PDB file of all heavy atoms in Angstrom:
ATOM      1  N   VAL A 985       6.669  13.699 -20.004  1.00 86.00           N
ATOM      2  CA  VAL A 985       6.308  13.279 -21.363  1.00 86.00           C
ATOM      3  C   VAL A 985       5.473  14.359 -22.046  1.00 86.00           C
ATOM      4  O   VAL A 985       5.673  14.672 -23.226  1.00 86.00           O
ATOM      5  CB  VAL A 985       5.529  11.942 -21.320  1.00 86.00           C
ATOM      6  CG1 VAL A 985       4.946  11.619 -22.690  1.00 86.00           C
ATOM      7  CG2 VAL A 985       6.446  10.807 -20.867  1.00 86.00           C
ATOM      8  N   ALA A 986       4.531  14.951 -21.299  1.00 87.00           N
ATOM      9  CA  ALA A 986       3.689  16.006 -21.869  1.00 87.00           C
ATOM     10  C   ALA A 986       4.526  17.215 -22.275  1.00 87.00           C
ATOM     11  O   ALA A 986       4.288  17.819 -23.326  1.00 87.00           O
ATOM     12  CB  ALA A 986       2.617  16.419 -20.861  1.00 87.00           C
ATOM     13  N   LEU A 987       5.506  17.570 -21.456  1.00 89.00           N
ATOM     14  CA  LEU A 987       6.380  18.705 -21.784  1.00 89.00           C
ATOM     15  C   LEU A 987       7.220  18.416 -23.024  1.00 89.00           C
ATOM     16  O   LEU A 987       7.403  19.284 -23.880  1.00 89.00           O
ATOM     17  CB  LEU A 987       7.287  19.032 -20.597  1.00 89.00           C
ATOM     18  CG  LEU A 987       6.669  19.848 -19.467  1.00 89.00           C
ATOM     19  CD1 LEU A 987       7.612  19.909 -18.272  1.00 89.00           C
ATOM     20  CD2 LEU A 987       6.310  21.253 -19.929  1.00 89.00           C
ATOM     21  N   VAL A 988       7.736  17.195 -23.121  1.00 91.00           N
ATOM     22  CA  VAL A 988       8.510  16.812 -24.308  1.00 91.00           C
ATOM     23  C   VAL A 988       7.633  16.889 -25.559  1.00 91.00           C
ATOM     24  O   VAL A 988       8.055  17.392 -26.612  1.00 91.00           O
ATOM     25  CB  VAL A 988       9.096  15.395 -24.141  1.00 91.00           C
ATOM     26  CG1 VAL A 988       9.688  14.896 -25.458  1.00 91.00           C
ATOM     27  CG2 VAL A 988      10.170  15.385 -23.062  1.00 91.00           C
ATOM     28  N   CYS A 989       6.397  16.405 -25.451  1.00 91.00           N
ATOM     29  CA  CYS A 989       5.455  16.477 -26.583  1.00 91.00           C
ATOM     30  C   CYS A 989       5.159  17.935 -26.946  1.00 91.00           C
ATOM     31  O   CYS A 989       5.082  18.281 -28.128  1.00 91.00           O
ATOM     32  CB  CYS A 989       4.164  15.749 -26.239  1.00 91.00           C
ATOM     33  SG  CYS A 989       4.330  13.953 -26.163  1.00 91.00           S
ATOM     34  N   LEU A 990       4.995  18.771 -25.928  1.00 90.00           N
ATOM     35  CA  LEU A 990       4.719  20.185 -26.181  1.00 90.00           C
ATOM     36  C   LEU A 990       5.896  20.857 -26.873  1.00 90.00           C
ATOM     37  O   LEU A 990       5.708  21.644 -27.815  1.00 90.00           O
ATOM     38  CB  LEU A 990       4.400  20.893 -24.862  1.00 90.00           C
ATOM     39  CG  LEU A 990       4.078  22.391 -24.944  1.00 90.00           C
ATOM     40  CD1 LEU A 990       2.920  22.648 -25.902  1.00 90.00           C
ATOM     41  CD2 LEU A 990       3.754  22.938 -23.557  1.00 90.00           C
ATOM     42  N   ILE A 991       7.105  20.544 -26.444  1.00 90.00           N
ATOM     43  CA  ILE A 991       8.299  21.121 -27.079  1.00 90.00           C
ATOM     44  C   ILE A 991       8.394  20.641 -28.531  1.00 90.00           C
ATOM     45  O   ILE A 991       8.664  21.421 -29.450  1.00 90.00           O
ATOM     46  CB  ILE A 991       9.565  20.731 -26.291  1.00 90.00           C
ATOM     47  CG1 ILE A 991       9.565  21.417 -24.915  1.00 90.00           C
ATOM     48  CG2 ILE A 991      10.824  21.118 -27.071  1.00 90.00           C
ATOM     49  CD1 ILE A 991      10.647  20.919 -23.983  1.00 90.00           C
ATOM     50  N   GLY A 992       8.168  19.329 -28.740  1.00 92.00           N
ATOM     51  CA  GLY A 992       8.196  18.799 -30.103  1.00 92.00           C
ATOM     52  C   GLY A 992       7.122  19.430 -30.974  1.00 92.00           C
ATOM     53  O   GLY A 992       7.364  19.752 -32.143  1.00 92.00           O
ATOM     54  N   GLY A 993       5.924  19.628 -30.398  1.00 90.00           N
ATOM     55  CA  GLY A 993       4.858  20.280 -31.145  1.00 90.00           C
ATOM     56  C   GLY A 993       5.199  21.714 -31.493  1.00 90.00           C
ATOM     57  O   GLY A 993       4.944  22.179 -32.614  1.00 90.00           O
ATOM     58  N   LEU A 994       5.795  22.435 -30.542  1.00 87.00           N
ATOM     59  CA  LEU A 994       6.188  23.826 -30.778  1.00 87.00           C
ATOM     60  C   LEU A 994       7.215  23.932 -31.894  1.00 87.00           C
ATOM     61  O   LEU A 994       7.088  24.780 -32.785  1.00 87.00           O
ATOM     62  CB  LEU A 994       6.742  24.428 -29.481  1.00 87.00           C
ATOM     63  CG  LEU A 994       7.395  25.809 -29.609  1.00 87.00           C
ATOM     64  CD1 LEU A 994       6.365  26.853 -30.025  1.00 87.00           C
ATOM     65  CD2 LEU A 994       8.068  26.211 -28.302  1.00 87.00           C
ATOM     66  N   VAL A 995       8.234  23.066 -31.853  1.00 87.00           N
ATOM     67  CA  VAL A 995       9.276  23.105 -32.886  1.00 87.00           C
ATOM     68  C   VAL A 995       8.666  22.813 -34.258  1.00 87.00           C
ATOM     69  O   VAL A 995       8.970  23.485 -35.253  1.00 87.00           O
ATOM     70  CB  VAL A 995      10.393  22.092 -32.564  1.00 87.00           C
ATOM     71  CG1 VAL A 995      11.378  21.983 -33.728  1.00 87.00           C
ATOM     72  CG2 VAL A 995      11.132  22.497 -31.294  1.00 87.00           C
ATOM     73  N   SER A 996       7.760  21.828 -34.320  1.00 89.00           N
ATOM     74  CA  SER A 996       7.122  21.480 -35.590  1.00 89.00           C
ATOM     75  C   SER A 996       6.255  22.626 -36.104  1.00 89.00           C
ATOM     76  O   SER A 996       6.298  22.971 -37.289  1.00 89.00           O
ATOM     77  CB  SER A 996       6.266  20.219 -35.414  1.00 89.00           C
ATOM     78  OG  SER A 996       7.048  19.123 -34.994  1.00 89.00           O
ATOM     79  N   ILE A 997       5.466  23.232 -35.211  1.00 85.00           N
ATOM     80  CA  ILE A 997       4.577  24.322 -35.609  1.00 85.00           C
ATOM     81  C   ILE A 997       5.370  25.553 -36.039  1.00 85.00           C
ATOM     82  O   ILE A 997       4.968  26.279 -36.954  1.00 85.00           O
ATOM     83  CB  ILE A 997       3.612  24.663 -34.447  1.00 85.00           C
ATOM     84  CG1 ILE A 997       2.636  23.511 -34.221  1.00 85.00           C
ATOM     85  CG2 ILE A 997       2.847  25.956 -34.726  1.00 85.00           C
ATOM     86  CD1 ILE A 997       1.806  23.647 -32.961  1.00 85.00           C
ATOM     87  N   SER A 998       6.503  25.796 -35.381  1.00 79.00           N
ATOM     88  CA  SER A 998       7.299  26.986 -35.700  1.00 79.00           C
ATOM     89  C   SER A 998       7.866  26.944 -37.119  1.00 79.00           C
ATOM     90  O   SER A 998       8.215  27.980 -37.682  1.00 79.00           O
ATOM     91  CB  SER A 998       8.438  27.148 -34.694  1.00 79.00           C
ATOM     92  OG  SER A 998       9.405  26.118 -34.845  1.00 79.00           O
ATOM     93  N   LEU A 999       7.963  25.745 -37.702  1.00 82.00           N
ATOM     94  CA  LEU A 999       8.454  25.620 -39.080  1.00 82.00           C
ATOM     95  C   LEU A 999       7.421  26.055 -40.108  1.00 82.00           C
ATOM     96  O   LEU A 999       7.731  26.199 -41.288  1.00 82.00           O
ATOM     97  CB  LEU A 999       8.874  24.169 -39.359  1.00 82.00           C
ATOM     98  CG  LEU A 999      10.051  23.631 -38.536  1.00 82.00           C
ATOM     99  CD1 LEU A 999      10.243  22.142 -38.795  1.00 82.00           C
ATOM    100  CD2 LEU A 999      11.323  24.395 -38.864  1.00 82.00           C
ATOM    101  N   ILE A1211       4.338  17.902 -41.150  1.00 94.00           N
ATOM    102  CA  ILE A1211       5.176  18.328 -40.024  1.00 94.00           C
ATOM    103  C   ILE A1211       4.416  19.262 -39.088  1.00 94.00           C
ATOM    104  O   ILE A1211       4.423  19.080 -37.861  1.00 94.00           O
ATOM    105  CB  ILE A1211       6.465  19.009 -40.537  1.00 94.00           C
ATOM    106  CG1 ILE A1211       7.307  18.015 -41.335  1.00 94.00           C
ATOM    107  CG2 ILE A1211       7.280  19.572 -39.370  1.00 94.00           C
ATOM    108  CD1 ILE A1211       8.539  18.605 -41.979  1.00 94.00           C
ATOM    109  N   CYS A1212       3.750  20.259 -39.659  1.00 91.00           N
ATOM    110  CA  CYS A1212       3.120  21.288 -38.816  1.00 91.00           C
ATOM    111  C   CYS A1212       1.738  20.887 -38.320  1.00 91.00           C
ATOM    112  O   CYS A1212       1.398  21.146 -37.165  1.00 91.00           O
ATOM    113  CB  CYS A1212       3.042  22.612 -39.580  1.00 91.00           C
ATOM    114  SG  CYS A1212       4.641  23.187 -40.166  1.00 91.00           S
ATOM    115  N   VAL A1215       1.999  16.286 -37.151  1.00 93.00           N
ATOM    116  CA  VAL A1215       2.921  16.094 -36.030  1.00 93.00           C
ATOM    117  C   VAL A1215       2.777  17.207 -34.992  1.00 93.00           C
ATOM    118  O   VAL A1215       2.580  16.946 -33.800  1.00 93.00           O
ATOM    119  CB  VAL A1215       4.380  16.022 -36.534  1.00 93.00           C
ATOM    120  CG1 VAL A1215       5.346  15.893 -35.355  1.00 93.00           C
ATOM    121  CG2 VAL A1215       4.547  14.838 -37.479  1.00 93.00           C
ATOM    122  N   GLY A1216       2.854  18.465 -35.450  1.00 91.00           N
ATOM    123  CA  GLY A1216       2.840  19.596 -34.516  1.00 91.00           C
ATOM    124  C   GLY A1216       1.553  19.700 -33.720  1.00 91.00           C
ATOM    125  O   GLY A1216       1.554  19.691 -32.486  1.00 91.00           O
ATOM    126  N   GLN A1217       0.414  19.778 -34.430  1.00 90.00           N
ATOM    127  CA  GLN A1217      -0.864  19.914 -33.732  1.00 90.00           C
ATOM    128  C   GLN A1217      -1.233  18.627 -32.995  1.00 90.00           C
ATOM    129  O   GLN A1217      -1.900  18.669 -31.950  1.00 90.00           O
ATOM    130  CB  GLN A1217      -1.971  20.285 -34.728  1.00 90.00           C
ATOM    131  CG  GLN A1217      -1.789  21.645 -35.395  1.00 90.00           C
ATOM    132  CD  GLN A1217      -1.893  22.804 -34.409  1.00 90.00           C
ATOM    133  OE1 GLN A1217      -2.508  22.698 -33.357  1.00 90.00           O
ATOM    134  NE2 GLN A1217      -1.287  23.929 -34.755  1.00 90.00           N
ATOM    135  N   GLY A1218      -0.798  17.474 -33.526  1.00 90.00           N
ATOM    136  CA  GLY A1218      -1.052  16.209 -32.833  1.00 90.00           C
ATOM    137  C   GLY A1218      -0.339  16.138 -31.492  1.00 90.00           C
ATOM    138  O   GLY A1218      -0.925  15.735 -30.476  1.00 90.00           O
ATOM    139  N   LEU A1219       0.923  16.520 -31.455  1.00 91.00           N
ATOM    140  CA  LEU A1219       1.670  16.547 -30.195  1.00 91.00           C
ATOM    141  C   LEU A1219       1.089  17.582 -29.235  1.00 91.00           C
ATOM    142  O   LEU A1219       1.059  17.381 -28.016  1.00 91.00           O
ATOM    143  CB  LEU A1219       3.148  16.842 -30.461  1.00 91.00           C
ATOM    144  CG  LEU A1219       3.946  15.721 -31.129  1.00 91.00           C
ATOM    145  CD1 LEU A1219       5.356  16.205 -31.479  1.00 91.00           C
ATOM    146  CD2 LEU A1219       4.030  14.496 -30.222  1.00 91.00           C
ATOM    147  N   LEU A1220       0.629  18.681 -29.796  1.00 89.00           N
ATOM    148  CA  LEU A1220      -0.014  19.721 -28.974  1.00 89.00           C
ATOM    149  C   LEU A1220      -1.267  19.158 -28.288  1.00 89.00           C
ATOM    150  O   LEU A1220      -1.472  19.355 -27.084  1.00 89.00           O
ATOM    151  CB  LEU A1220      -0.386  20.902 -29.861  1.00 89.00           C
ATOM    152  CG  LEU A1220      -0.871  22.171 -29.174  1.00 89.00           C
ATOM    153  CD1 LEU A1220       0.244  22.800 -28.381  1.00 89.00           C
ATOM    154  CD2 LEU A1220      -1.420  23.148 -30.195  1.00 89.00           C
ATOM    155  N   SER A1223      -0.277  16.752 -25.491  1.00 88.00           N
ATOM    156  CA  SER A1223       0.264  17.404 -24.290  1.00 88.00           C
ATOM    157  C   SER A1223      -0.841  17.922 -23.376  1.00 88.00           C
ATOM    158  O   SER A1223      -0.662  18.032 -22.162  1.00 88.00           O
ATOM    159  CB  SER A1223       1.195  18.557 -24.686  1.00 88.00           C
ATOM    160  OG  SER A1223       0.452  19.658 -25.211  1.00 88.00           O
ATOM    161  N   PHE A1235       3.161  28.706 -23.472  1.00 85.00           N
ATOM    162  CA  PHE A1235       4.379  28.101 -24.022  1.00 85.00           C
ATOM    163  C   PHE A1235       4.507  28.375 -25.512  1.00 85.00           C
ATOM    164  O   PHE A1235       5.619  28.561 -26.030  1.00 85.00           O
ATOM    165  CB  PHE A1235       4.359  26.592 -23.761  1.00 85.00           C
ATOM    166  CG  PHE A1235       5.693  25.924 -23.917  1.00 85.00           C
ATOM    167  CD1 PHE A1235       6.578  25.857 -22.854  1.00 85.00           C
ATOM    168  CD2 PHE A1235       6.067  25.368 -25.129  1.00 85.00           C
ATOM    169  CE1 PHE A1235       7.818  25.243 -23.004  1.00 85.00           C
ATOM    170  CE2 PHE A1235       7.300  24.760 -25.285  1.00 85.00           C
ATOM    171  CZ  PHE A1235       8.175  24.692 -24.211  1.00 85.00           C
ATOM    172  N   LEU A1236       3.379  28.417 -26.207  1.00 83.00           N
ATOM    173  CA  LEU A1236       3.403  28.649 -27.650  1.00 83.00           C
ATOM    174  C   LEU A1236       3.806  30.074 -28.014  1.00 83.00           C
ATOM    175  O   LEU A1236       3.985  30.385 -29.193  1.00 83.00           O
ATOM    176  CB  LEU A1236       2.038  28.327 -28.257  1.00 83.00           C
ATOM    177  CG  LEU A1236       1.661  26.844 -28.294  1.00 83.00           C
ATOM    178  CD1 LEU A1236       0.256  26.652 -28.830  1.00 83.00           C
ATOM    179  CD2 LEU A1236       2.662  26.041 -29.116  1.00 83.00           C
ATOM    180  N   LEU A1242      11.118  31.038 -32.295  1.00 71.00           N
ATOM    181  CA  LEU A1242      11.694  29.967 -33.101  1.00 71.00           C
ATOM    182  C   LEU A1242      11.537  30.258 -34.591  1.00 71.00           C
ATOM    183  O   LEU A1242      12.408  29.920 -35.392  1.00 71.00           O
ATOM    184  CB  LEU A1242      11.021  28.637 -32.748  1.00 71.00           C
ATOM    185  CG  LEU A1242      11.263  28.112 -31.334  1.00 71.00           C
ATOM    186  CD1 LEU A1242      10.620  26.752 -31.153  1.00 71.00           C
ATOM    187  CD2 LEU A1242      12.749  28.042 -31.017  1.00 71.00           C
TER     188      LEU A1242
END
Side-chain angles (χ1 to χ4, degrees):
V985 170
L987 280 171
V988 170
C989 289
L990 180 56
I991 292 170
L994 171 65
V995 172
S996 300
I997 292 170
S998 68
L999 296 173
I1211 297 175
C1212 304
V1215 177
Q1217 296 294 336
L1219 289 174
L1220 189 67
S1223 72
F1235 197 87
L1236 290 176
L1242 294 184

